[in-house]
Amino acid sequence: DAGVTQSPTHLIKTRGQHVTLRCSPISGHKSVSWYQQVLGQGPQFIFQYYEKEERGRGNFPDRFSARQFPNYSSELNVNALLLGDSALYLCASSWRRSTDTQYFGPGTRLTVL
Amino acid sequence: GIQVEQSPPDLILQEGANSTLRCNFSDSVNNLQWFHQNPWGQLINLFYIPSGTKQNGRLSATTVATERYSLLYISSSQTTDSGVYFCAVERDGNNRLAFGKGNQVVVIP
């Protein structure tokens, strides 16, 4: 079975622009979570979606939004990009909404100039 | 929120050496996972270990939940073991992982 996939792998944007990142979970997994990892730090939780509904949100501004589609894939949107949004964005999937092993995708590296 | 501290932050090993990485956490947890982040950024699952001991080849992990720590053992290290090792915990049954800052491991031939 394929693992978690993410696209694109790399992205360069300028301040003020908008970006959309995509994630496809492992087949059969219904939960998708998004994490942001800035250089030198561990990943930080942004969102969790389960059965197409937002089930959790981390301490991120409203410029960050996400959604989950009927096939359980997900998009993360970031508006009005700031330099500080430059990071590796990781998607994780799991079968259950609650405590479960999470599997991560390869990430999207976003650079904001 | 829950605090996760990993030590040592940096470790340089000679190939063939053994090492122990430690993860301390500030509250009881439902889930604890160890990951290896490769140079391209992918987080590779090593262990799901909220308690007890597990082994997978040259790697093993032990979590003592009552004392709020976990250990990752690397035996007979190889250059491919280089990278950052992360400990991540979840405490509220909500599947949100809180990560430590990682252990940067460099294995030299």
Side-chain angles (χ1 to χ4, degrees):
Chain A
D1 281 341
V4 179
T5 59
Q6 293 186 243
S7 63
T9 53
H10 295 86
L11 205 50
I12 299 175
K13 293 284 189 179
T14 56
R15 281 178 296 175
Q17 285 189 311
H18 161 270
V19 68
T20 298
L21 310 180
R22 294 177 176 84
C23 170
S24 292
I26 291 171
S27 178
H29 285 192
K30 298 180 179 181
S31 173
V32 170
S33 298
W34 288 94
Y35 291 79
Q36 180 197 64
Q37 186 180 17
V38 299
L39 199 62
Q41 302 293 319
Q44 292 224 324
F45 172 80
I46 310 175
F47 284 112
Q48 184 201 20
Y49 275 77
Y50 181 79
E51 289 284 16
K52 303 179 288 295
E53 291 189 15
E54 182 182 309
R55 302 292 185 169
R57 184 185 184 113
N59 188 23
F60 281 80
D62 291 344
R63 299 185 296 108
F64 288 76
S65 64
R67 54 180 175 167
Q68 187 177 32
F69 299 99
N71 66 354
Y72 303 109
S73 67
S74 178
E75 281 182 355
L76 175 70
N77 295 285
V78 188
N79 292 324
L81 285 167
L82 303 173
L83 296 179
D85 295 330
S86 295
L88 180 67
Y89 288 85
L90 295 161
C91 173
S93 78
S94 61
W95 185 63
R96 294 183 295 189
R97 173 190 172 186
S98 58
T99 302
D100 197 4
T101 304
Q102 294 202 46
Y103 297 89
F104 282 80
T108 294
R109 196 167 295 277
L110 172 65
T111 301
V112 182
L113 302 176
Chain B
I2 192 167
Q3 303 301 311
V4 182
E5 293 184 3
Q6 293 185 240
S7 60
D10 300 285
L11 189 61
I12 299 176
L13 297 171
Q14 198 75 39
E15 198 170 26
N18 303 327
S19 65
T20 301
L21 309 179
R22 186 177 179 103
C23 171
N24 292 331
F25 41 96
S26 60
D27 207 338
S28 58
V29 298
N30 294 321
N31 177 14
L32 188 146
Q33 289 185 247
W34 281 98
F35 297 91
H36 178 213
Q37 189 165 44
N38 66 24
W40 298 272
Q42 174 125 34
L43 284 170
I44 309 298
N45 279 45
L46 298 177
F47 295 101
Y48 174 93
I49 187 166
S51 64
T53 297
K54 291 186 177 179
Q55 181 155 6
N56 184 2
R58 295 181 296 102
L59 300 180
S60 63
T62 295
T63 298
V64 183
T66 53
E67 297 187 21
R68 299 180 185 168
Y69 72 89
S70 183
L71 302 174
L72 178 69
Y73 305 96
I74 306 173
S75 65
S76 304
S77 58
Q78 300 177 359
T79 55
T80 52
D81 295 330
S82 296
V84 184
Y85 290 81
F86 284 103
C87 168
V89 302
E90 178 257 303
R91 60 161 293 194
D92 292 327
N94 56 18
N95 222 9
R96 299 184 194 185
L97 291 176
F99 284 78
K101 290 188 176 181
N103 308 93
Q104 173 81 58
V105 174
V106 176
V107 180
I108 54 177

